[in-house]
Amino acid sequence: MRIISFLLLLCSTNLFAADGGGSAKKFVRKGDRQFNKSNLQKAQQYYLKALAIDSTDSYTNFQVGAIYYLSDSFRIRSLPYFIKTIKYSGSGVDDTIIDAYYYIGNCYVLLKNYPAATKAFNTYIGHIDPNSRVDETIMQEIKHNIEICTDAPGIINRSTDSAGNILNKKPGMLYVKNLGGAINTPYAEYAQVLMNHDSTILFTSRRPTSQKGKKDFMTDQYYEDIFISHIDSDGHWETPSVFSTQLHFSSGKDNLASVTITSDGNTLFIYHNGRVWESHVKNGVWSKPEKIGKNIKQIRRYIPSVFLSFDGQKLFLVSDRDGGMGGKDIYESDKQSDGKWSTPKNLGPQINTPYDEDAPYLMPDNKTLYFSSKGHPGLGGFDIFKSVYENGQWSTPVNLGSPINSTGDDIYFTYDTAIQRGFFSSSRVNQGYGNMDIYSFSFMCDNIDSAKLKGEIVSNGQHIPSATIMLTDMRHHGKTVTTQSDANGNYSVSLKPEVSYKMEIKIPGYLPYTTTIKTPHQCDAYNLYQLINPSYITDSLYQHAWQILFVKNAFYRNVKTAGYKNARTDPTLSAFINNHNDTAAVWERDSMITVTYTKAQVDSINPKKIVATHIDTTTHLVASKGIPKMPVVYFAFNKHRIDKKYYSTLDSLAMVMKSNSSYKLLIEGNTDTRGKASYNKRLSVLRAGAVAYYLEHKGVKANRIHIQGNGKRHLAVVGDGSSALNRRDDIIITQ
């Protein structure tokens, strides 16, 4: 910002507003007055009015470009105005507007046009006075930017699975997703803090509701404020609300930002008034914040960020204190035997550079450090790097590369290896909702919104029309979609990916069937295929004794084992898939349903017209034999902590899971009927998450566990909603 301020001052004094009409000059003068007052939006309105009269004025083009450049949201919009500044400056006077090349170069970096950026930077250097001490810092930055232009193509051209290799030491595709319009806005959102197994998010934003709409005079931006949001029952983020009111900070003309939270979720770190503060939560109430590290007196000045290691023994601080490597540096302080923090130690030149380093994040292994830097070889702006402490020193930082890093600022990285999911903030160009946004990343892509199920009902080679299929989302009781087979026995319905459905099948001439299906996780849109084959089994008197129904679910696009088979080995199913012009390899998993008539009257003229007086229905998955009985975990009222008496049972379950790699778990959290539905929903998620977290720490991989919060909808004791038996986790093998 100091460099930008200097360049704007230089240009505003050197350039001359020479337009062809007095009206344009009048708007320029009004724009200058507002610009000098830091009212950038009003200034820009006047400058744009001037350009509407005379679009060739170099000074006005420069001012409009400069204002756009100062906004991360619209920085790239400044490029054509700086180009016009050069174009309309007239021959022989490049020296007076040469600073436009500085901004042009940085804009081309944002667009990944590194050759054009290098050309612009070199042109700029050619006009800098080498004897000027004022320009020494700028010269250093420009040379560094040229180095970025040289190194960036090699980082961009890495293999697509390189980021996964850096994170987990094995190749793997990473999927990055914007958190969406509920969290992100055209204003800045960043510094996310995830809580309650990622079901709650705190984050910093500069939006009109921040600090009651107050703005920073120097930047014309809203002051920072902290917001909170929760995931609703559909898996979407709710509308955020202001969280800072819970921290006992009064709204004022100062920034208030989230920084990080301790691994136990009990201590939140907040940035305010140039320092980091800490607040502790007890029974849902946050304490009055206090400045961190009362014993850390060696760093008294600006501290924008800290990170406390998972074991609580290491404190990483960011500061631009004198004596560092330059810009903001990362320091480490260790907790001593008396509970005090040691003198902060600079991490040294292997981590810190003459430029800014920020947002340290130490993994639970206490040796793997992620941080953001503007100094190490990157793509432009802040990039996220990884370094490992081995043999008494930090390894050379490695750029995570695409798709995490971009040409914008990428910062505030967090990563949970148990679920292989993380978050970061980014101001990447032409993506998101505006300024800086919050993104998530994982090794599993996020589901598409809906999938199309294409089905067919065939019995003894005959297509069955007028059959009714009802599918009820088992997460939302009563939410049902219905379809009917046509004259050719075909039906079609849209379903949600990765959802279990209760499937009720009513076929003319047959008794109703009920089964369950689960749609797979889907990265890309493709059809799900299903064949239903009903048939009768006759007894020795050739009467219908029972019905059998096969439901062939060809849902899967990746090779499966243990109960899954290649759908192409079934000629009928393969032909049905080919009819939809689908040539991909598809894998299926079947269900078989048997309905037995214990007492029935059969019409001898029409043996399919059956009147059943008693029905014994048995449903099972073909691949579900031999599954052990699952435990139920009960909880104390309003609690989600697991009682120690369940440890041995859960340990046994973990051993079963590790010895049966095909098993997958669904953990359903439940509550009694007391309390609000929204609170019980969150409590049920926490209960399910507690068991999932325990099993993960016992060696069960996170991708084999799915949690679901039912709230108070699934009661074990319906007649007594407050019964302790309702406060439980049901554990189900979904295989």
Side-chain angles (χ1 to χ4, degrees):
M1 288 302 295
R2 287 195 295 267
I3 293 172
I4 292 172
S5 300
F6 166 73
L7 294 179
L8 290 178
L9 177 63
L10 183 65
C11 288
S12 62
T13 55
N14 285 346
L15 291 177
F16 175 71
D19 62 83
S23 297
K25 290 182 179 179
K26 179 182 68 175
F27 286 129
V28 170
R29 287 193 295 270
K30 289 183 177 181
D32 287 344
R33 284 195 291 270
Q34 295 300 323
F35 187 90
N36 293 332
K37 295 178 181 179
S38 294
N39 294 330
L40 301 184
Q41 292 183 355
K42 290 183 179 179
Q44 189 176 51
Q45 292 173 5
Y46 286 121
Y47 290 139
L48 289 173
K49 288 180 180 180
L51 287 180
I53 298 171
D54 181 8
S55 63
T56 65
D57 182 69
S58 58
Y59 170 77
T60 313
N61 275 295
F62 185 92
Q63 292 298 93
V64 171
I67 294 172
Y68 275 134
Y69 189 90
L70 288 170
S71 169
D72 285 337
S73 307
F74 306 114
R75 177 164 295 181
I76 203 62
R77 295 186 186 180
S78 67
L79 181 58
Y81 292 97
F82 288 129
I83 291 175
K84 289 178 183 178
T85 300
I86 302 294
K87 178 180 179 180
Y88 298 126
S89 64
S91 59
V93 293
D94 280 358
D95 286 351
T96 61
I97 46 79
I98 196 62
D99 299 307
Y101 283 109
Y102 168 87
Y103 300 107
I104 290 173
N106 284 327
C107 286
Y108 278 131
V109 168
L110 288 172
L111 294 173
K112 298 183 183 178
N113 190 342
Y114 296 109
T118 301
K119 182 179 179 180
F121 289 138
N122 282 327
T123 302
Y124 184 77
I125 288 177
H127 289 77
I128 290 182
D129 181 0
N131 298 318
S132 172
R133 295 183 61 186
V134 176
D135 293 333
E136 184 178 338
T137 303
I138 301 173
M139 179 70 80
Q140 183 183 19
E141 182 195 339
I142 298 301
K143 289 181 178 179
H144 177 63
N145 288 348
I146 293 175
E147 292 175 356
I148 288 175
C149 294
T150 302
D151 296 332
I155 299 173
I156 291 174
N157 293 328
R158 290 177 184 168
S159 63
T160 55
D161 59 5
S162 64
N165 198 27
I166 294 169
L167 287 171
N168 287 348
K169 295 183 179 180
K170 60 181 180 180
M173 287 289 294
L174 270 182
Y175 298 91
V176 171
K177 181 185 178 183
N178 189 293
L179 289 199
I183 301 296
N184 295 312
T185 68
Y187 303 93
E189 283 79 35
Y190 49 92
Q192 68 287 340
V193 173
L194 277 297
M195 304 188 300
N196 301 331
H197 298 283
D198 294 352
S199 64
T200 301
I201 186 172
L202 300 178
F203 63 95
T204 302
S205 181
R206 295 178 181 269
R207 56 180 68 183
T209 51
S210 300
Q211 301 287 349
K212 295 185 177 180
K214 296 175 182 177
K215 283 188 174 183
D216 186 336
F217 171 77
M218 293 300 295
T219 64
D220 200 33
Q221 295 185 45
Y222 294 101
Y223 282 102
E224 293 176 321
D225 209 344
I226 305 174
F227 294 81
I228 186 171
S229 177
H230 305 281
I231 289 181
D232 63 19
S233 58
D234 292 320
H236 301 135
W237 291 107
E238 298 173 343
T239 301
S241 59
V242 176
F243 174 77
S244 55
T245 53
Q246 300 184 41
L247 298 174
H248 312 282
F249 281 117
S250 59
S251 298
K253 294 184 177 181
D254 207 342
N255 292 311
L256 186 61
S258 49
V259 175
T260 189
I261 197 166
T262 53
S263 57
D264 60 9
N266 292 330
T267 302
L268 177 68
F269 295 98
I270 312 108
Y271 170 80
H272 177 65
N273 196 22
R275 296 296 297 263
V276 173
W277 304 60
E278 59 181 293
S279 176
H280 309 279
V281 66
K282 185 175 182 181
N283 298 324
V285 178
W286 292 94
S287 66
K288 186 175 181 180
E290 297 180 349
K291 290 182 180 179
I292 65 161
K294 295 179 180 179
N295 303 311
I296 304 178
K297 299 181 180 179
Q298 294 81 6
I299 299 182
R300 296 180 179 274
R301 60 182 297 167
Y302 175 67
I303 301 178
S305 182
V306 299
F307 181 80
L308 184 66
S309 63
F310 283 78
D311 63 4
Q313 299 302 304
K314 296 180 183 293
L315 181 67
F316 290 86
L317 306 95
V318 175
S319 178
D320 62 355
R321 65 177 296 190
D322 295 335
M325 301 293 165
K328 290 185 290 187
D329 284 358
I330 301 175
Y331 293 79
E332 178 188 341
S333 180
D334 299 317
K335 182 171 283 189
Q336 303 174 119
S337 58
D338 60 359
K340 297 181 179 180
W341 293 102
S342 66
T343 301
K345 180 182 178 181
N346 192 297
L347 293 192
Q350 199 74 346
I351 299 295
N352 295 313
T353 70
Y355 304 93
D356 285 342
E357 278 70 43
D358 202 350
Y361 181 82
L362 188 71
M363 297 295 290
D365 63 6
N366 268 352
K367 66 177 185 179
T368 304
L369 178 70
Y370 292 94
F371 65 99
S372 289
S373 173
K374 289 184 176 181
H376 294 287
L379 305 181
F382 272 116
D383 275 18
I384 299 168
F385 294 83
K386 173 185 176 181
S387 178
V388 180
Y389 192 78
E390 294 177 321
N391 301 320
Q393 64 180 2
W394 292 101
S395 65
T396 301
V398 178
N399 190 304
L400 294 191
S402 178
I404 289 181
N405 286 326
S406 69
T407 58
D409 287 329
D410 303 286
I411 193 169
Y412 305 117
F413 174 94
T414 63
Y415 180 42
D416 187 338
T417 55
I419 60 175
Q420 293 196 331
R421 185 185 186 195
F423 298 84
F424 65 99
S425 307
S426 179
S427 61
R428 51 196 57 203
V429 178
N430 298 326
Q431 298 182 45
Y433 290 81
N435 207 298
M436 182 166 278
D437 281 359
I438 300 172
Y439 293 80
S440 66
F441 70 89
S442 69
F443 286 90
M444 178 175 284
C445 63
D446 289 310
N447 274 317
I448 59 174
D449 290 335
S450 64
K452 184 68 70 173
L453 172 64
K454 301 281 188 178
E456 186 178 59
I457 303 180
V458 180
S459 178
N460 296 321
Q462 300 295 316
H463 294 92
I464 306 298
S466 303
T468 301
I469 312 292
M470 293 185 295
L471 294 132
T472 302
D473 186 338
M474 295 176 69
R475 301 173 307 168
H476 308 289
H477 182 69
K479 193 172 183 179
T480 302
V481 292
T482 303
T483 185
Q484 194 171 54
S485 60
D486 60 18
N488 296 316
N490 294 317
Y491 57 91
S492 177
V493 64
S494 291
L495 302 177
K496 294 288 185 183
E498 204 169 12
V499 169
S500 294
Y501 284 91
K502 176 184 175 183
M503 186 175 185
E504 299 176 78
I505 307 167
K506 296 181 179 179
I507 302 173
Y510 290 81
L511 293 174
Y513 296 91
T514 300
T515 185
T516 59
I517 62 171
K518 183 177 180 180
T519 53
H521 188 95
Q522 266 186 272
C523 300
D524 305 304
Y526 54 78
N527 289 338
L528 311 179
Y529 301 108
Q530 186 177 69
L531 283 188
I532 297 178
N533 300 125
S535 62
Y536 291 107
I537 302 296
T538 57
D539 59 17
S540 58
L541 299 176
Y542 300 101
Q543 293 184 336
H544 297 159
W546 64 86
Q547 303 172 178
I548 289 182
L549 180 77
F550 275 101
V551 181
K552 301 179 180 181
N553 300 312
F555 290 174
Y556 309 93
R557 294 302 170 105
N558 295 317
V559 176
K560 302 287 183 180
T561 57
Y564 297 83
K565 65 180 182 179
N566 189 341
R568 297 298 185 176
T569 62
D570 184 320
T572 305
L573 188 54
S574 183
F576 180 63
I577 296 172
N578 289 336
N579 286 340
H580 290 84
N581 299 315
D582 194 334
T583 59
V586 186
W587 293 73
E588 67 165 301
R589 191 177 184 189
D590 298 346
S591 296
M592 182 179 71
I593 308 165
T594 304
V595 178
T596 303
Y597 312 140
T598 56
K599 293 180 181 179
Q601 293 178 346
V602 181
D603 187 324
S604 59
I605 299 176
N606 184 1
K608 289 188 178 182
K609 184 179 288 186
I610 300 171
V611 180
T613 57
H614 176 74
I615 302 173
D616 178 19
T617 303
T618 304
T619 304
H620 68 275
L621 290 175
V622 173
S624 301
K625 297 178 180 178
I627 292 178
K629 184 178 181 181
M630 292 294 100
V632 177
V633 178
Y634 294 94
F635 296 88
F637 175 72
N638 201 30
K639 301 294 182 183
H640 62 274
R641 185 183 298 275
I642 301 173
D643 194 293
K644 291 181 179 180
K645 66 183 180 182
Y646 295 108
Y647 285 1
S648 60
T649 303
L650 293 176
D651 290 345
S652 299
L653 174 58
M655 293 180 64
V656 170
M657 291 296 294
K658 287 188 286 186
S659 61
N660 295 272
S661 59
S662 66
Y663 286 177
K664 291 188 177 181
L665 287 179
L666 171 63
I667 303 174
E668 294 186 346
N670 301 274
T671 69
D672 59 27
T673 56
R674 287 177 287 184
K676 293 183 178 179
S678 59
Y679 178 83
N680 283 332
K681 176 66 176 179
R682 287 194 290 270
L683 179 59
S684 66
V685 171
L686 290 174
R687 286 174 173 171
V691 171
Y693 185 80
Y694 183 94
L695 293 173
E696 289 168 21
H697 279 262
K698 291 297 180 179
V700 182
K701 292 184 178 180
N703 60 7
R704 299 176 61 197
I705 304 174
H706 180 72
I707 66 172
Q708 176 176 307
N710 296 328
K712 55 185 179 181
R713 293 186 295 108
H714 292 178
L715 299 178
V717 182
V718 179
D720 181 10
S722 62
S723 171
L725 297 178
N726 292 323
R727 302 191 292 269
R728 72 195 189 282
D729 273 359
D730 294 322
I731 304 174
I732 304 164
I733 291 283
T734 60
Q735 204 170 12

